[in-house]
Amino acid sequence: MEITKDTGIIDAVQNHPEIMEVFAEYGLGCVGCMAAHFETIGQGAGAHGIDVDKFIEDCNKKIKG
């Protein structure tokens, strides 16, 4: 499953725990946030001023190894 801006944060991390490293690199503590249960990656990263497209690209690179 490729990560997109519409992928739920919790779904993404549960299916691909390796992307937690990418969240940490960007300074995102999303998994511990209650909003993560209903926000998408695009919403979460965007709310923190992160370049959403770059973040998603980095997540997908991590998944592909």
Side-chain angles (χ1 to χ4, degrees):
M1 171 181 107
E2 184 168 279
I3 302 292
T4 71
K5 68 179 180 179
D6 297 320
T7 304
I9 294 169
I10 294 298
D11 290 339
V13 172
Q14 285 178 338
N15 289 318
H16 304 287
E18 65 273 22
I19 67 170
M20 286 299 299
E21 292 177 31
V22 180
F23 277 78
E25 289 169 13
Y26 279 81
L28 294 173
C30 292
V31 177
C33 176
M34 288 304 295
H37 292 280
F38 56 85
E39 278 189 343
T40 65
I41 287 190
Q43 291 169 325
H48 291 279
I50 304 275
D51 179 335
V52 176
D53 293 329
K54 177 73 173 129
F55 179 74
I56 291 168
E57 179 184 326
D58 289 347
C59 285
N60 284 316
K61 282 181 186 174
K62 177 63 82 175
I63 291 167
K64 293 174 185 169

